[in-house]
Amino acid sequence: MDTSRPFGELLRAHRSAAGLTQEELAERSGLSVDAIGLLERGARRLPRRDTVRRLVAALQLTDDERVALQQAARAQPPGGTDVTATLPTPTTSFIGRALEIDEIGRLLRESNVRLLTLTGAGGVGKTRLAIEAARQVADVFDDVAFVALAAIRDAANAIEAMSLALGVRLLGAGGAAQVPQPARDVLLVLDNCEHLDGIAPYIGELLATLPRLTMLATSRRPLGISAERRYPVLPLPVDRAVQPGQVLSAGVLLFADRARAHDPAFALTAANLPDVAAICRRVDGLPLAIELAAAWIRLLPPSDLLRRLDPALPLLTGGPRDLPERQQTLRATIDWSYDLIDPEVQRTLRSLAVMEGGFIIAAAEAVVAAPDVLSSLAALVDAGLLARLTDADPARYVLLETVREYAVEQLATSGDEVAVRDRHLAWCLEFVEAAQPHLVGPDESIWLAKLSRENANLQVAVRRALDQRAADIATRFAAVLWRYWAGRGRLSEGRRWLEQILVLAGAADPGAVPPLRLAMLMHVTANLARVQGDAARAEALYRACLTIRREHNDRPGIVAALHNIGIVLAERGDHDAALRCYQDALVLATDINDPYGIAFIQTSIGEVLLASGELDGAVTHVTEGLRGFQAIGHSWGVALATTRLGDVVLAQDDIAQAKSLQRKSLALSADLADPRSFVDALDGLARALSVAQPATCVRMAGAADALRARFDCPRPAHLRVLHDDVLATARRTLSDAAAGSAYLNGAEAAEEESLPALVAILDH
């Protein structure tokens, strides 16, 4: 068959040879009868490749016939050009974004997608992604046109540029009509639309006038046209932790590629890979920022570069001179976005900068203190300056760190900084004190998780209270946050804050901090000191706060102080003195009906009786403590008492019951995400398994030791000898190699896995 004929003639010949009518071919191919007629008449000379594939299948063509039809389909009309010829040719390699390319290509191939806008922060790589996506789908269109709008400041000039690219003439103030020509499928790529508000009506008119026109736009904010489909472009993924043999993230690979452009000898190594990954994280995975950072490799090794990226903006300069000026420094890129938003939205962005680690809407409303914060948040999301965390409930938003750094600079020169930071401090204090009543009881884990999500903001607030010498506010934070610091294994962090607050409160003017609050501060500081093994500091603080509480007849406080002094004495091995403290505390707790104090003291008495060998009494008291904690729904207390009861029944040689109890405590502690009670239960289960399952026992001991080191909560002195004896018992039935391997396996798992995951990994 003559392959030199036009596509329409060739198609008609194949249809006739197959003995098909246009209606039958349409049915087989899934095309319309009108489409078949138009193709055969040559009214549409360049069909889409998908159309050709359907026709080839419907006509059951041979390989030679298929190739001939495809060649005819791609034949250029007189004066025609390559459909991708107008796309810019990048001078650097394209790295990553394979999933995005596929998704954008799929959307552009859909008949109902007429305008697809790639939105995102400046420097996130929208332009490059649009060019690569347009190349990937060029075979679907008869023409691809590219219009760069960044340098065009006037909407009228932008409209003219689009009209010329499409070959249409302007009618009136903004409408468009097609210049007579064959109907064609055209992809128009519009790059950098965000600063040209006046082009939106014209784009709408083009889409209405040219039904076979598809647009792919890039913009830092949506165009706001009804036909628009938005596609947010996110920063490149970056490695949170680098493990041997792992597939490296696109961010790291981009850094390495651009670094080699400046220093051909640069290579990723085991030594520099963690620093490169940290650099990519520090610049939020923004391709532009990664490229600007990589340029410094000619002067600085990754370790030095990482240290100098705080702050990041001053160093992220010196982009290629053939780029637009706004892309030669990250600051200029953010300037461009900042100038595009309304003054009220700018004020919102500046205010949000005081919050670290993200924020919920309630926090934003309190800190910004404006009538319509939601609208400003929406504008910032549209501008690519603010992102919503997709897995957060309630909704949580975060600024890219480089954007936040920029906004902090703007806030400092705005005259509003003091007021904004004061509002942030006030909101954090209100949030913390709202959590306080829920931190003992059935909602404990829920509220500890809420405090954990706000930890970065709370640290900012506590630091401000200290800097402002606001002793009263600082101690109010301490009264609540100590439970979070203890319950989430942030012992060293919490103790540093508490010791600083204690110094501030001690130096405050008389009356600035009420005496009982000072006593409370001493008590909670002692709690963390005791868990960290600083018994002398803990006892001194407990006794000092006991004196104040007795002076003010603070009976619940006296119960707590006596009980904790008893714990210090018991851990020292002075069981008789500990029991006296416990009994005095129990009498008073019973008199004032303190269920939490009673349950805790009963458990502690049982622990001392266990250490003294009085097993029947130990069972009675620990069981009473467990029942008391269960009655008030105190999960941490239930875990504690369950572990102690497991120890008691193990001493009674009921190994099966001991293992069952310790496993219950371990699972409950994992759900609480509390490393203190988790390692306590882990030690208890290791004790129960030391004879029957020695390898598992040693594995748990390795994990417990690693967790104690990680969270800085050493094993209490009175348990160290017991722990050593348990390990020795287990090792007697294992070879040195097997014991060493099991211990290392447990330690490595504790470094890598969450507490819930550890339960399944260790206990098998």
Side-chain angles (χ1 to χ4, degrees):
M1 189 169 290
D2 184 3
T3 59
S4 64
R5 286 185 288 177
F7 178 85
E9 290 184 18
L10 196 55
L11 174 61
R12 184 166 55 252
H14 281 305
R15 179 177 60 77
S16 298
L20 299 174
T21 65
Q22 287 187 347
E23 289 78 5
E24 289 170 335
L25 179 56
E27 184 177 353
R28 284 193 182 187
S29 64
L31 302 173
S32 70
V33 177
D34 288 343
I36 299 294
L38 288 170
L39 289 170
E40 290 189 355
R41 291 195 303 273
R44 180 169 180 220
R45 289 184 287 177
L46 292 182
R48 298 186 185 211
R49 286 194 179 180
D50 181 63
T51 298
V52 177
R53 282 193 290 269
R54 292 187 183 195
L55 292 170
V56 168
L59 292 166
Q60 298 181 337
L61 301 183
T62 65
D63 286 344
D64 289 343
E65 291 170 337
R66 172 184 57 78
V67 170
L69 190 65
Q70 289 174 336
Q71 289 175 346
R74 290 298 95 196
Q76 295 295 327
T81 58
D82 180 359
V83 295
T84 64
T86 64
L87 290 174
T89 302
T91 57
T92 57
S93 57
F94 184 71
I95 294 174
R97 305 287 198 195
L99 178 61
E100 291 94 326
I101 290 289
D102 288 344
E103 290 178 339
I104 294 169
R106 176 181 57 79
L107 290 170
L108 292 174
R109 288 181 174 91
E110 292 181 3
S111 60
N112 62 333
V113 176
R114 302 290 311 286
L115 169 61
L116 181 64
T117 305
L118 309 186
T119 61
V124 80
K126 300 183 293 296
T127 297
R128 189 62 186 277
L129 181 58
I131 292 171
E132 296 300 326
R135 290 186 181 282
Q136 292 293 323
V137 299
D139 63 325
V140 178
F141 297 92
D142 299 324
D143 285 315
V144 175
F146 183 92
V147 179
L149 298 173
I152 299 176
R153 299 298 177 184
D154 181 80
N157 290 335
I159 291 170
E160 182 179 0
M162 286 186 279
S163 302
L164 289 172
L166 290 172
V168 300
R169 56 187 173 84
L170 301 178
L171 292 179
Q178 186 179 12
V179 171
Q181 61 179 0
R184 302 172 68 76
D185 291 309
V186 178
L187 174 64
L188 177 62
V189 182
L190 299 177
D191 189 37
N192 291 113
C193 304
E194 58 269 357
H195 60 298
L196 295 167
D197 292 330
I199 66 172
Y202 179 68
I203 289 175
E205 288 293 334
L206 280 175
L207 292 171
T209 305
L210 305 177
R212 294 174 65 175
L213 171 65
T214 300
M215 290 190 181
L216 175 62
T218 73
S219 180
R220 299 192 188 186
R221 54 183 178 174
L223 302 182
I225 299 171
S226 58
E228 183 176 33
R229 179 81 170 264
R230 304 177 188 179
Y231 187 92
V233 180
L234 303 178
L236 290 173
V238 293
D239 299 307
R240 289 292 162 189
V242 180
Q243 303 296 331
Q246 79 176 64
V247 177
L248 298 177
S249 68
V252 168
L253 294 176
L254 177 64
F255 181 95
D257 181 81
R258 301 307 190 255
R260 283 191 291 271
H262 297 278
D263 178 3
F266 178 80
L268 291 173
T269 66
N272 67 27
L273 186 53
D275 289 328
V276 170
I279 289 168
C280 294
R281 291 195 300 272
R282 177 64 184 87
V283 299
D284 303 309
L286 286 173
L288 174 61
I290 290 174
E291 295 190 17
L292 293 172
W296 286 97
I297 286 298
R298 67 191 188 279
L299 295 176
L300 300 169
S303 57
D304 286 350
L305 176 57
L306 177 61
R307 282 191 292 270
R308 291 175 179 272
L309 280 175
D310 191 16
L313 290 178
L315 201 62
L316 299 180
T317 62
R321 295 179 182 177
D322 58 343
L323 288 178
E325 184 178 347
R326 61 187 172 80
Q327 291 183 348
Q328 293 184 25
T329 74
L330 189 59
R331 187 188 303 279
T333 297
I334 302 175
D335 271 333
W336 174 273
S337 294
Y338 186 75
D339 290 341
L340 289 172
I341 57 180
D342 295 337
E344 185 60 31
V345 181
Q346 291 178 345
R347 189 176 83 83
T348 298
L349 177 63
R350 294 194 300 266
S351 299
L352 297 177
V354 302
M355 292 187 278
E356 297 186 11
F359 55 86
I360 58 177
I361 290 176
E365 290 174 332
V367 172
V368 177
D372 192 7
V373 174
L374 278 178
S375 293
S376 292
L377 293 180
L380 289 171
V381 170
D382 286 345
L385 296 171
L386 181 66
R388 179 184 173 186
L389 300 178
T390 56
D391 58 349
D393 184 18
R396 191 169 189 83
Y397 298 84
V398 64
L399 293 170
L400 295 177
E401 188 57 31
T402 45
V403 172
R404 198 185 75 81
E405 183 181 314
Y406 175 92
V408 166
E409 294 177 356
Q410 300 299 315
L411 180 64
T413 61
S414 69
D416 298 332
E417 183 172 15
V418 172
V420 170
R421 292 195 179 279
D422 284 347
R423 290 196 295 268
H424 179 251
L425 175 62
W427 181 83
C428 288
L429 183 59
E430 180 182 350
F431 179 82
V432 161
E433 292 188 330
Q436 186 167 22
H438 304 284
L439 295 180
V440 175
D443 294 334
E444 173 185 353
S445 61
I446 295 173
W447 281 86
L448 284 175
K450 290 182 179 182
L451 291 172
S452 183
R453 286 191 289 270
E454 296 297 344
N455 181 56
N457 276 315
L458 299 179
Q459 289 195 58
V460 171
V462 173
R463 170 51 56 201
R464 180 160 179 80
L466 288 168
D467 290 345
Q468 298 294 310
R469 311 294 296 171
D472 177 68
I473 292 175
T475 55
R476 288 166 65 185
F477 274 115
V480 184
L481 289 180
W482 79 270
R483 288 191 182 277
Y484 162 68
W485 290 323
R488 282 294 184 267
R490 309 184 78 98
L491 300 171
S492 296
E493 172 191 316
R495 192 175 173 195
R496 283 195 301 271
W497 287 120
L498 290 172
E499 293 284 8
Q500 291 180 67
I501 295 171
L502 190 57
V503 170
L504 175 63
D509 294 335
V513 179
L516 288 180
R517 195 183 300 160
L518 180 61
M520 173 279 303
L521 179 59
M522 293 176 176
H523 186 98
V524 300
T525 305
N527 285 348
L528 269 63
R530 177 175 59 78
V531 174
Q532 289 199 301
D534 192 347
R537 176 65 170 161
E539 184 176 5
L541 288 171
Y542 285 138
R543 292 192 182 280
C545 83
L546 177 61
T547 298
I548 296 174
R549 285 168 165 171
R550 279 175 167 162
E551 289 174 353
H552 291 80
N553 195 31
D554 173 21
R555 300 174 79 192
I558 294 170
V559 169
L562 284 171
H563 177 213
N564 280 279
I565 291 170
I567 293 175
V568 173
L569 295 171
E571 291 181 350
R572 188 184 297 155
D574 193 345
H575 296 153
D576 291 340
L579 277 175
R580 287 194 294 272
C581 283
Y582 291 157
Q583 288 161 353
D584 289 346
L586 184 60
V587 169
L588 185 53
T590 304
D591 188 43
I592 64 174
N593 190 26
D594 175 6
Y596 170 77
I598 293 170
F600 205 167
I601 296 164
Q602 289 279 24
T603 304
S604 295
I605 291 174
E607 187 174 7
V608 168
L609 294 178
L610 169 62
S612 303
E614 300 178 37
L615 301 186
D616 291 341
V619 169
T620 299
H621 283 282
V622 174
T623 301
E624 282 299 311
L626 177 58
R627 289 172 180 163
F629 283 128
Q630 289 171 334
I632 62 174
H634 194 309
S635 299
W636 179 84
V638 171
L640 170 71
T642 302
T643 294
R644 293 294 165 265
L645 189 57
D647 287 339
V648 175
V649 299
L650 180 63
Q652 294 176 321
D653 295 324
D654 189 346
I655 296 175
Q657 177 68 355
K659 290 191 291 188
S660 175
L661 288 167
Q662 299 293 12
R663 286 191 172 104
K664 287 180 181 177
S665 180
L666 195 64
L668 182 56
S669 298
D671 289 341
L672 288 172
D674 179 5
R676 298 171 305 158
S677 57
F678 188 88
V679 293
D680 197 17
L682 203 56
D683 279 347
L685 186 53
R687 291 191 285 271
L689 298 175
S690 60
V691 175
Q693 296 173 252
T696 303
C697 167
V698 173
R699 187 164 58 247
M700 289 183 171
D705 288 350
L707 288 171
R708 288 187 181 280
R710 175 178 162 191
F711 294 106
D712 200 9
C713 52
R715 190 171 282 105
H718 68 294
L719 292 178
R720 290 175 199 155
V721 174
L722 179 59
H723 176 70
D724 292 342
D725 289 344
V726 166
L727 268 180
T729 299
R731 287 176 182 272
R732 276 196 288 270
T733 57
L734 297 172
S735 67
D736 289 344
S741 176
Y743 186 91
L744 182 61
N745 177 271
E748 289 177 344
E751 289 296 326
E752 298 173 5
E753 303 293 342
S754 65
L755 297 186
L758 271 177
V759 176
I761 292 172
L762 297 174
D763 192 14
H764 70 275

